[in-house]
Amino acid sequence: MARVKSGFRKRFNIRYWRWQATHATIGKIGVLRRRFSFYPRAVHPTRVATRVLEDRSFDLPTLFTPEETAFVRDKCWPYDTLAGDWAGEPSAKARQIAVTIRDAEMLGHVGLIMAPQHQAVVMSQEGTANWNFAKAKTLRQDLPVAGRCHFLARTDNYYHALFHDLVPLVDYLERLHPRGMPLTLVCTPARLAILRQACALLEKAYPGLRTIELAEDAKVPVGEALWLSFEAGNAEWNFADAAPVHRLAEIFREHYGVPRGGSRRLFFSRGGSKIRRLLNEDALFEIAKAHGFERFEARADNQAEQVRSFSEADIVIGVHGAGLGNLAFCRPGTKMLEIFPENFTKSTYLWVSRHIGLDYHWIVGGRGDYDQAFSLDETAFRQKLEALLRQELT
């Protein structure tokens, strides 16, 4: 698979051995663990919960057609993150958790909650935390924050910010949070404009919310940490209900004054992105342009136009990537044509589309290189596009 390191490369590099040495020394001595905020052990949130607000297990329909089921099982499963034992059944085993943990600490350098009484970080996967979530660093301690606090994860990925951070938060605020009860959102310095913007908008929409920033070289004790998680046996399948997605989209549309409706056709470009570059994008766009498509590229400084463009779109064409998280702003019924390299097919946006009412389609190109750069056959693209447009007319 493109851009995945072999076991040899994972183990024979300086970073791996530095982590092993840290784990063997600092990780074994309690006073050093606390001094360097290094917690290589992970504990499940339900084991350290003070209060369980929700812990429900249920069968969640995938909503896939037979053709989509075969595509996910045979083509996407090898590339989907943390894909489990699902073998094409019409539903997945899901679990949704909301708990609070008293007297916790939030660690800025790894973006995790630490349970002091267990000397462990809180994670869905118990056991040994890997080097992304167990790092030795001297952290200054900020003043304690009283009351309930929620840590927005450290991410520079647009899709994860929307669907892993914001959608679960809105779901909690709509269903479980007492109206007007104070809630502090704790964020590390946001590398994504959407996180800063969303926090400001949520403060307006939900009285009692406020946002504070936690630097990456700091930690903060909190009176009560809120943990939210959703699992369905595949990390690409990360929500069960369309309602919080539509609510979040409504909050953004209201802020930017974007009406629901329109008939735009978007050819969503990855621009100068190094990863998953469509080598013959210009030729493919010329085919789409003849059918009324406009090329659109998401940037850090055009969030309003991203919301507007996807809200007004009838059809979206795009290569798999984080920017397609903007599908959250699409109206039910919008057609989506996702383009993949042969060796990187994922079910992320099929799941999103099926669960918020979009009409999803896909097409697979040639094999990607190490950076997943690839080409798509122009005749196959033309035929697929014209077939979708004929469906629109019937």
Side-chain angles (χ1 to χ4, degrees), residues 272-304:
S273 174
K274 178 182 177 182
I275 305 299
R276 224 165 298 120
R277 213 159 32 91
L278 189 54
L279 297 174
N280 59 335
E281 177 181 309
D282 288 342
L284 298 173
F285 174 64
E286 288 302 316
I287 295 170
K289 184 178 178 182
H291 294 283
F293 281 79
E294 57 182 291
R295 182 147 45 183
F296 178 73
E297 180 182 345
R299 304 188 309 273
D301 62 352
N302 71 346
Q303 178 63 43

Side-chain angles (χ1 to χ4, degrees), residues 5 15 37 48 64 83 103-104 109 162 166 180 235-236 238 245 251 272 294 296 331-332 345 347 359 361-363 385:
K5 293 178 181 177
R15 185 184 178 198
S37 296
V48 295
F64 299 155
D103 301 323
H109 69 315
L162 279 169
L166 297 176
E236 312 300 332
N238 48 43
V245 183
I251 290 170
E294 57 182 291
F296 178 73
R331 291 165 288 129
T345 46
S347 64
D359 183 8
H361 304 265
W362 73 92
I363 186 169
L385 179 58

Side-chain angles (χ1 to χ4, degrees), residues 50 100-107 112-117 122 141-151 183-187 210 212 214 219-227:
T50 306
T100 62
I101 305 161
R102 290 194 62 81
D103 301 323
E105 284 187 357
M106 295 181 173
L107 309 176
L112 292 178
I113 298 167
M114 192 274 286
Q117 66 272 34
V122 182
Q141 182 166 303
D142 286 355
L143 292 175
V145 179
R148 186 169 295 180
C149 301
H150 180 56
F151 205 178
L183 176 66
T184 301
L185 303 180
V186 181
C187 303
R210 68 168 184 141
I212 64 170
L214 178 65
K219 60 184 177 181
V220 59
V222 299
E224 186 181 43
L226 172 67
W227 169 278

Side-chain angles (χ1 to χ4, degrees), residues 80-269:
D80 281 353
T81 305
L82 299 178
D85 295 330
W86 182 81
E89 298 87 353
S91 63
K93 300 293 183 184
R95 186 180 185 187
Q96 191 160 7
I97 297 172
V99 303
T100 62
I101 305 161
R102 290 194 62 81
D103 301 323
E105 284 187 357
M106 295 181 173
L107 309 176
H109 69 315
V110 290
L112 292 178
I113 298 167
M114 192 274 286
Q117 66 272 34
H118 290 262
Q119 289 294 293
V121 289
V122 182
M123 297 181 68
S124 294
Q125 301 289 327
E126 285 198 313
T128 301
N130 72 21
W131 56 31
N132 292 311
F133 303 112
K135 298 178 182 178
K137 189 169 185 177
T138 304
L139 303 178
R140 60 180 173 80
Q141 182 166 303
D142 286 355
L143 292 175
V145 179
R148 186 169 295 180
C149 301
H150 180 56
F151 205 178
L152 293 175
R154 231 169 120 253
T155 182
D156 56 4
N157 182 286
Y158 187 86
Y159 164 79
H160 291 303
L162 279 169
F163 285 96
H164 288 178
D165 269 349
L166 297 176
V167 167
L169 176 58
V170 170
D171 182 48
Y172 163 77
L173 290 169
E174 288 288 313
R175 296 191 303 110
L176 300 173
H177 190 71
R179 296 292 174 184
M181 175 180 170
L183 176 66
T184 301
L185 303 180
V186 181
C187 303
T188 52
R191 288 169 282 187
L192 288 172
I194 191 172
L195 275 178
R196 295 191 298 271
Q197 183 69 67
C199 288
L201 297 182
L202 292 176
E203 287 180 14
K204 293 181 180 178
Y206 298 96
L209 261 67
R210 68 168 184 141
T211 304
I212 64 170
E213 190 171 276
L214 178 65
E216 293 189 13
D217 65 348
K219 60 184 177 181
V220 59
V222 299
E224 186 181 43
L226 172 67
W227 169 278
L228 304 173
S229 64
F230 173 84
E231 301 168 19
N234 185 331
E236 312 300 332
W237 304 354
N238 48 43
F239 68 98
D241 187 5
V245 183
H246 293 322
R247 174 63 178 138
L248 180 65
E250 177 187 12
I251 290 170
F252 272 93
R253 277 194 292 264
E254 287 179 355
H255 173 71
Y256 290 123
V258 175
R260 290 180 64 122
S263 56
R264 295 172 68 177
R265 295 179 172 182
L266 295 185
F267 187 97
F268 188 53
S269 172

